Amino acid sequence: MSFYRRLLLLFLTLLPLGVAAQLPDEFRRELTSAKIPLASVAVVVQGLDAPAPIISHNAQQPMNPASVMKLVTTFAALDLLGPAYTWPTRVLSEAAVRDGVLAGHLYLQGSGDPQLASEHVWQLLRQLRARGIERIDGDIVLDRTAFAAVDFDPAAFDGKPLRPYNVGPNGLLLDFQALRFALQPAEGRSVNVFLESPASGFVLDNQLRLQEGPCADNWRDRIQLQLMPAASGQRLVASGDYARQCGERSLSLAPLSADAHAASLIASVWQELGGRLTGRVRDGVTPATAQRLLQHESLPLSHAVQGVNKFSNNVMARQLFLSLDDSAAPATAAGAGRRVQAWLATLGVNAPELVLDNGSGLSRRERISAASLNALLRTAWQRPVMPEFLASLPLAGIDGTMKKRLKNSAASGRARIKTGYLNGVRSAAGYVFDPQGGRYAVSVLINDPRAADGVAAIDALLDWLAAGGR
């Protein structure tokens, strides 16, 4: 750190609480251009080895952080559960196996794995077949009781119930409850639709219309999926418009309930493996007397936090948050919130304004101040899990949600930043490193109707800091 920067930090320690260097001119100009008042903005910037911030503006104001709240969830998960923590998914039964027949129910018991995918289910069921089980004389029972059941409306947040990010938490979440489709323009006015996910129990009814013209940014919103009753089984109707210039694209949507999605996937995989089922796939509870047959262990938590922070995965964040509840099962958001609050107190992070809803930031209720967020970042830097936490943050101009931002700027490759976006909210928080060896925790929260236009201001602040604050 340069002599002048040390002198500045020494000067700041002598100032009254809440007084610090003025906001950078570049930051102010961009806010003015966006017509965002300073009253709608909170900023804290502090050196990781400094006793006081170099910038502190509206530091104590409770703000909606949007996806920046994932920093709280992921740091808490790493610190409380450990980077090597895994989620087991177990296959159990009370029944005996004779002549290739399991004479009873088979139980698939989840523990909240945020990364459980159809290939893992295939692996488990393939292992059953390898053990000689050809027929299940009973039901396949899905045990989701690791998490408490909630009355969850996927359309409540933004009116887009088919988007996978609106899927609710689930003790046995499979493929984020989404179906994967491939779309491609065909001859005439038709669109080819290929269902790539394993699924059974319904017929795909393709009613998509091919349109001329450019591929709009909101092309996904022009496609609807609806499960309809049919004479034999059910129809999954795909309707809407698809532009020829979109070419071939992949699409993931969540049109089915958790039970319907899992039942369709598991029945399809078991049938593909040559297995037979006399009963059905249904929801239920594993008896205490059931014996474990197989177990799948998830990837470690250190891998999961990468998906949560680098790509702002809301569903994974909710799963992580509920996994923090160490009270008696089933886990609840309230229980997870209590544990996080208690944990912060043990770390000496005083955040009386903190409001936790689901831990993902996809919420209108969640609140935190720039000061508390900055204190969290500075505390994380001192903890043993710092390397895993730091590595999970998007690197400006390089990857994740920051891949296209701040390219060819001073901040490119020097800022690890988690971003947040909701209607009326823009936010960013993380770490910035300048060429002189300065290391800073930075928190920026904008809550304003024009917040969407505040990206340039946030980038200007990060670039100014990465360039050495000159």
Side-chain angles (χ1 to χ4, degrees):
M1 184 179 296
S2 69
F3 168 78
Y4 293 105
R5 186 171 293 279
R6 287 193 181 93
L7 187 63
L8 173 61
L9 291 175
L10 177 62
F11 171 72
L12 289 171
T13 63
L14 301 177
L15 292 174
L17 184 65
V19 178
Q22 290 186 349
L23 294 168
D25 291 340
E26 299 92 328
F27 182 63
R28 288 176 176 269
R29 280 197 297 269
E30 293 293 351
L31 288 175
T32 300
S33 177
K35 298 180 181 179
I36 297 174
L38 288 176
S40 299
V41 181
V43 184
V44 174
V45 177
Q46 184 166 343
L48 293 172
D49 53 357
I54 61 171
I55 298 174
S56 179
H57 174 77
N58 286 340
Q60 305 297 333
Q61 179 66 33
M63 306 279 274
N64 188 324
S67 282
V68 165
M69 187 60 88
K70 292 180 175 70
L71 295 177
V72 178
T73 298
T74 52
F75 175 32
L78 285 169
D79 205 56
L80 289 169
L81 304 178
Y85 180 87
T86 58
W87 292 264
T89 300
R90 299 183 176 96
V91 178
L92 310 97
S93 183
E94 295 178 294
V97 179
R98 294 187 182 90
D99 300 324
V101 177
L102 179 72
H105 300 319
L106 185 78
Y107 299 90
L108 190 62
Q109 185 183 59
S111 65
D113 183 357
Q115 304 168 95
L116 189 63
S118 51
E119 52 264 36
H120 302 136
V121 173
W122 181 92
Q123 185 181 46
L124 285 171
L125 296 181
R126 178 67 185 83
Q127 288 175 287
L128 285 178
R129 294 287 288 116
R131 283 159 172 75
I133 298 176
E134 188 273 334
R135 189 177 83 226
I136 299 171
D137 264 356
D139 298 334
I140 297 178
V141 181
L142 311 177
D143 187 342
R144 311 175 187 280
T145 55
F147 295 166
V150 293
D151 186 13
F152 187 83
D153 179 4
F157 185 76
D158 60 4
K160 298 178 179 179
L162 298 184
R163 290 294 185 92
Y165 63 74
N166 275 324
V167 167
N170 191 318
L172 187 62
L173 182 71
L174 296 173
D175 282 342
F176 302 124
Q177 204 175 306
L179 298 176
R180 297 188 303 275
F181 299 87
L183 310 177
Q184 61 179 210
E187 295 298 323
R189 307 287 292 179
S190 62
V191 181
N192 290 329
V193 180
F194 305 104
L195 176 58
E196 297 179 335
S197 297
S200 66
F202 58 82
V203 175
L204 180 63
D205 184 355
N206 177 15
Q207 298 181 13
L208 278 175
R209 301 178 299 272
L210 188 66
Q211 301 291 332
E212 301 301 329
C215 186
D217 290 341
N218 67 338
W219 65 271
R220 290 178 179 83
D221 295 335
R222 301 186 178 191
I223 298 171
Q224 297 83 44
L225 292 178
Q226 188 174 10
L227 201 61
M228 305 283 288
S232 57
Q234 291 182 304
R235 289 186 304 138
L236 184 63
V237 181
S239 60
D241 300 326
Y242 187 71
R244 186 183 299 277
Q245 291 184 28
C246 288
E248 182 168 341
R249 301 237 173 169
S250 294
L251 175 67
S252 291
L253 293 175
L256 308 179
S257 68
D259 287 345
H261 175 269
S264 174
L265 187 156
I266 291 168
S268 175
V269 171
W270 184 240
Q271 184 177 18
E272 286 178 6
L273 289 168
R276 290 183 290 161
L277 177 66
T278 59
R280 60 193 177 95
V281 183
R282 62 174 174 86
D283 194 47
V285 181
T286 305
T289 53
Q291 300 295 308
R292 188 178 74 186
L293 303 177
L294 298 167
Q295 178 167 307
H296 164 74
E297 208 74 26
S298 74
L299 289 170
L301 174 62
S302 57
H303 184 275
V305 297
Q306 296 243 352
V308 172
N309 284 336
K310 282 197 181 290
F311 303 101
S312 207
N313 191 302
N314 293 298
V315 180
M316 291 180 70
R318 291 188 183 109
Q319 298 284 116
L320 256 66
F321 186 65
L322 285 171
S323 297
L324 291 171
D325 185 3
D326 61 348
S327 57
T332 66
R338 286 191 296 269
R339 190 178 186 193
V340 171
Q341 294 279 11
W343 165 75
L344 288 173
T346 65
L347 295 180
V349 177
N350 182 29
E353 82 293 345
L354 179 65
V355 177
L356 290 164
D357 183 8
N358 56 43
S360 75
L362 193 66
S363 167
R364 295 295 177 188
R365 293 184 57 246
E366 292 192 321
R367 294 291 184 274
I368 196 170
S369 69
S372 295
L373 194 54
N374 209 266
L376 183 92
L377 290 167
R378 288 183 282 110
T379 301
W381 187 262
Q382 304 299 326
R383 301 294 289 177
V385 296
M386 180 274 287
E388 288 83 3
F389 182 62
L390 185 67
S392 76
L393 302 183
L395 192 56
I398 305 295
D399 67 6
T401 56
M402 290 293 291
K403 184 175 182 177
K404 297 181 180 180
R405 287 174 62 174
L406 292 164
K407 283 184 174 290
N408 304 314
S409 74
S412 181
R414 290 188 174 276
R416 287 193 173 271
I417 301 295
K418 178 73 196 78
T419 58
Y421 169 58
L422 293 175
N423 287 336
V425 181
R426 278 283 201 229
S427 57
Y431 304 99
V432 176
F433 310 92
D434 72 19
Q436 292 78 38
R439 304 173 302 179
Y440 303 90
V442 55
S443 308
V444 189
L445 305 172
I446 302 175
N447 286 189
D448 189 85
R450 296 187 178 89
D453 297 324
V455 174
I458 293 173
D459 286 356
L461 176 65
L462 297 174
D463 194 36
W464 171 85
L465 191 58
R470 294 185 295 274

